[in-house]
Amino acid sequence: MNPQRLYANGRAFEHIARFHPELTAFRRDLHANPELGFEEVYTAGRVQAALKACGVDEIHTGIGKTGVVGVIRGRSTASRRMIGLRADMDALPMKEDNDLPWCSAKSGLMHGCGHDGHTAMLVGAARYLAETRNFDGTAVLIFQPGEEGFAGARVMIEDGLFERFPVDAVYAMHNWPALPAGTIGINRGAMMAAADRITIRITGKGGHGAHAYLTVDPVVVAAHIITAAQTIASRTVRPIDAAVVSLCAVQAGDLDAFSVIPGTATLVGTVRTFSSRVQAQVEQRLRELCTQVAAAFGATAELAYERIYPATINTAPEAQFAGDVAAAIVGEGNVDRQLEPSMGAEDFSFMLQKKAGAYLRLGQDARGGAFLHNSRYDFNDDILPLGAALHAGLVEQGMPLPGQAGGGEPAAAIRGAANDSTATAVR
Ligand SMILES: [Zn+2]
Ligand SMILES: [Zn+2]
């Protein structure tokens, strides 16, 4: 990969690059107006207005509370195929430390994960697809609320998303500061882990710190449970399976009461796994350790194990196809088809539990060393046309018009453009 000289190719990219300034302005307006999950009223309104201006065939609002779906029919729909593209719209409850003209206008709220960029990229794809319609089938553009811990994808599904729009496959992409701009990463299986929340409540018997022999000290029990939990990943799970068990918060007693042994202690943490087999194994082992370690000290411990997001698992044929579409745009050398999975989580996983599809990472550079959820992060507008063209390519090449290899343009011709000096630079 050569981060110094990045190009993107193909008719969709060149078409979308012409309205790059409008997309950038749209993205920055969303950035200035961040909204939390299920509160994306302004954002959904902007999306709705943009889709209307693009001339999409149908706009559906209020799916999963603040979700919006746009429908674009190709020049033909004889294939009866339907492809879904998903962008998340929500921001984070965090303070922005950037000094940019488009900084958050709302204190304590920030687009720190680049969902403003994701929304703008899908709007860019909508405009291109509505203007050109070089495909045989129906494109379903899914603007999803509440990715950041609200399971907005699940809420849209429960609200009938896939009954109303029975897509054959669904795709999503996330900007990724760890990858250079102009590069795309994907793999044929697990992209992100399942995220579970664990809460361990320990009950002992409080008393005077000077007469500890009269108490059942829950702080000591918590310490032993914390230590025992370290053996789950190292001594229970097979080394070739992946699991993380992190106890991230401990609460017991009062810092002002140096001689009071408390009656209870609470531990909170997270478990990350890629397979439901390992997930079940971790839960069972953790439960045994909590119960039995506590019992050994004469205390009790209760484990609440909540499955928050499932693992994000690409289906192999769709991942292969999405990799091919990416390679046609940025060149094979700029696509990592064996991208290492992340132990982070993503609620697009709920869509991939229902439908074939794939989740891609779009390189965007860690500008100023700021990664996702950092108070100095900002989406890189340079990659807006690339992401939009990637969405468009998934539709055009996934539902090609009869007699055309994809999008009315032979894939080989798009690939050939990789060496074309007229190709538009990403940056
Ligand atoms: Zn995030
Ligand atoms: Zn995100």
Side-chain angles (χ1 to χ4, degrees):
M1 288 189 205
N2 180 1
Q4 297 308 313
R5 191 173 164 76
L6 303 172
Y7 294 98
N9 308 286
R11 190 171 56 196
F13 178 78
E14 291 184 10
H15 184 120
I16 294 163
R18 291 203 289 271
F19 53 83
H20 192 178
E22 289 101 305
L23 281 184
T24 301
F26 183 84
R27 199 287 293 182
R28 292 178 180 178
D29 179 66
L30 295 186
H31 191 89
N33 294 282
E35 295 171 304
L36 289 179
F38 300 129
E39 294 174 9
E40 304 95 333
V41 175
Y42 176 82
T43 310
R46 286 296 318 257
V47 166
Q48 205 183 333
L51 292 179
K52 197 163 178 231
C54 293
V56 308
D57 297 308
E58 295 170 26
I59 301 171
H60 303 266
T61 59
I63 302 176
K65 299 181 185 171
T66 40
V68 179
V69 173
V71 175
I72 305 170
R73 283 182 277 279
R75 200 176 300 163
S76 161
T77 53
S79 76
R80 305 177 72 86
R81 276 182 59 78
M82 198 179 266
I83 287 180
L85 306 170
R86 170 273 204 173
D88 39 14
M89 300 191 290
D90 59 324
L92 288 156
M94 61 184 283
K95 180 178 169 289
E96 179 161 12
D97 285 324
N98 285 314
D99 184 20
L100 301 163
W102 54 91
C103 258
S104 171
K106 296 181 184 172
S107 68
L109 289 183
M110 176 189 175
H111 266 295
C113 205
H115 299 181
D116 47 349
H118 302 168
T119 303
M121 292 190 299
L122 193 51
V123 163
R127 175 165 166 187
Y128 167 78
L129 291 170
E131 283 176 4
T132 55
R133 301 188 185 252
N134 285 320
F135 57 98
D136 176 9
T138 304
V140 177
L141 287 64
I142 304 164
F143 294 88
Q144 181 212 299
E147 190 284 325
E148 298 285 1
F150 296 88
R154 193 190 66 212
V155 176
M156 285 190 92
I157 293 167
E158 287 168 355
D159 212 2
L161 177 69
F162 292 140
E163 283 77 39
R164 293 172 69 176
F165 311 100
V167 298
D168 299 292
V170 65
Y171 297 91
M173 59 191 73
H174 204 297
N175 76 93
W176 207 245
L179 290 174
T183 67
I184 294 165
I186 191 166
N187 71 45
R188 291 158 62 91
M191 287 291 288
M192 303 199 86
D196 303 333
R197 176 165 51 220
I198 51 179
T199 308
I200 302 164
R201 290 196 175 81
I202 301 157
T203 306
K205 185 181 163 204
H208 202 300
H211 311 295
Y213 68 97
L214 294 173
T215 71
V216 177
D217 187 349
V219 177
V220 173
V221 177
H224 280 271
I225 289 176
I226 292 167
T227 306
Q230 309 312 309
T231 65
I232 298 174
S234 68
R235 294 293 178 270
T236 300
V237 174
R238 296 190 311 171
I240 55 164
D241 290 327
V244 178
V245 180
S246 290
L247 291 165
C248 303
V250 189
Q251 201 167 62
D254 186 332
L255 293 177
D256 292 327
F258 82 102
S259 64
V260 178
I261 290 174
T264 61
T266 306
L267 305 172
V268 168
T270 188
V271 173
R272 305 294 168 118
T273 53
F274 291 118
S275 84
S276 47
R277 175 181 58 80
V278 176
Q279 184 185 41
Q281 187 185 23
V282 171
E283 179 182 355
Q284 189 197 337
R285 189 73 190 124
L286 190 60
R287 202 173 290 287
E288 289 164 356
L289 287 174
C290 287
T291 311
Q292 292 172 27
V293 168
F297 290 93
T300 58
E302 214 177 283
L303 169 69
Y305 195 101
E306 299 165 84
R307 288 166 165 75
I308 309 294
Y309 284 175
T312 305
I313 313 283
N314 288 344
T315 49
E318 284 68 26
Q320 175 70 37
F321 163 70
D324 293 345
V325 172
I329 298 171
V330 295
E332 192 66 56
N334 287 315
V335 179
D336 183 350
R337 291 177 185 256
Q338 267 130 30
L339 190 76
E340 217 172 67
S342 156
M343 301 313 288
E346 155 71 59
D347 76 348
F348 183 61
S349 52
F350 289 107
M351 296 197 184
L352 290 181
Q353 280 188 328
K354 300 278 180 198
K355 297 287 177 183
Y359 178 80
L360 302 102
R361 296 226 177 96
L362 203 54
Q364 87 129 30
D365 299 331
R367 297 179 310 166
F371 284 77
L372 303 174
H373 294 209
N374 181 291
S375 62
R376 291 198 177 275
Y377 167 88
D378 189 33
F379 184 84
N380 182 352
D381 292 309
D382 289 351
I383 67 168
L384 284 169
L386 174 53
L390 184 56
H391 276 306
L394 292 164
V395 168
E396 290 186 338
Q397 293 176 48
M399 303 184 290
L401 284 164
Q404 294 182 342
E409 190 174 14
I414 299 175
R415 286 206 179 86
N419 299 319
D420 181 352
S421 60
T422 63
T424 312
V426 171
R427 61 162 199 187

